[in-house]
Amino acid sequence: FTPTLTLELRDTPGGKAPREVRITVEPGPITQVSNVQIGFTGPIAEDPASESQRDAIRTGWALRAGQPFNQQAWDNAKAAALRNLTARRYPTGSILTSRAEIDADRSEAKLSATYASGPAFRFGPLVVNGNQRYPADNVRRLARVPTGADYDQQQLLDAQQRLASSGYFDSVFLTIDTQSDPRAAPVIAQL
């Protein structure tokens, strides 16, 4: 953030151009992360059952104090934390705010991100769409979606894999209906 630029103008008799411009860039000191603050709003912030998830997001944060700051690492850290938030209980989570305060004179970056969890979701009934050959109950038995359990992306992917591996369907895609009641959100199986 504090480069030093040196410009040189030299005559070049007999060259393709009468003069040559040379620019030298000294990048200056690397900006280091000095502080990271990760906050939460919504049910995840207040629910004692979410403490381990909050802790996992904070400890899994990839861009820590003392590390060099760059835009790609900052973007990756925010995205990874969001993936961890939305993988369990809070599929509608989002980044509410994010800020990187750069002090160029001190070569420091202070980072903060606040995540909004949205409501905690639970798996509701499995709704089967596009099924033409097999009874919906057979699909439910194969999928084994844990109705009533907290939303867990891995459990949803496992159910999808069980259906896809059964050999009964050409394609399978499972999603949770985030527009419905989060206490019993239907799982949509598109076959």
Side-chain angles (χ1 to χ4, degrees), residues 40-144:
F40 300 95
T41 65
I44 193 172
E46 302 151 10
D47 185 358
S50 296
E51 184 175 356
S52 64
Q53 189 172 5
R54 291 189 307 265
D55 290 345
I57 291 169
R58 285 185 176 120
T59 58
W61 184 264
L63 189 55
R64 299 182 180 283
Q67 292 182 320
F69 174 84
N70 68 61
Q71 187 64 46
Q72 186 66 47
W74 172 229
D75 291 342
N76 290 346
K78 291 185 295 184
L82 181 60
R83 280 191 303 276
N84 288 337
L85 171 64
T86 59
R88 288 188 310 129
R89 298 188 74 205
Y90 305 104
T92 60
S94 63
I95 299 173
L96 183 64
T97 62
S98 70
R99 185 177 177 113
E101 293 180 37
I102 307 299
D103 184 337
D105 294 333
R106 296 175 60 158
S107 299
E108 289 183 352
K110 293 180 181 177
L111 309 179
S112 64
T114 303
Y115 292 87
S117 67
F121 278 75
R122 290 184 167 277
F123 287 124
L126 182 67
V127 177
V128 180
N129 293 330
N131 185 26
Q132 298 172 356
R133 300 177 76 187
Y134 307 103
D137 283 341
N138 288 2
V139 175
R140 289 184 188 95
R141 278 193 291 278
L142 281 170
R144 298 191 311 267

Side-chain angles (χ1 to χ4, degrees), residues 141-186:
R141 278 193 291 278
L142 281 170
R144 298 191 311 267
V145 173
T147 302
D150 287 337
Y151 169 81
D152 184 309
Q153 185 179 47
Q154 188 59 54
Q155 287 182 333
L156 193 65
L157 292 172
D158 291 346
Q160 179 174 296
Q161 185 61 42
R162 282 190 291 275
L163 289 170
S165 297
S166 71
Y168 295 134
F169 310 103
D170 291 332
S171 66
V172 176
F173 188 68
L174 265 60
T175 58
I176 190 164
D177 182 358
T178 57
Q179 301 301 310
S180 64
D181 180 1
R183 294 171 294 181

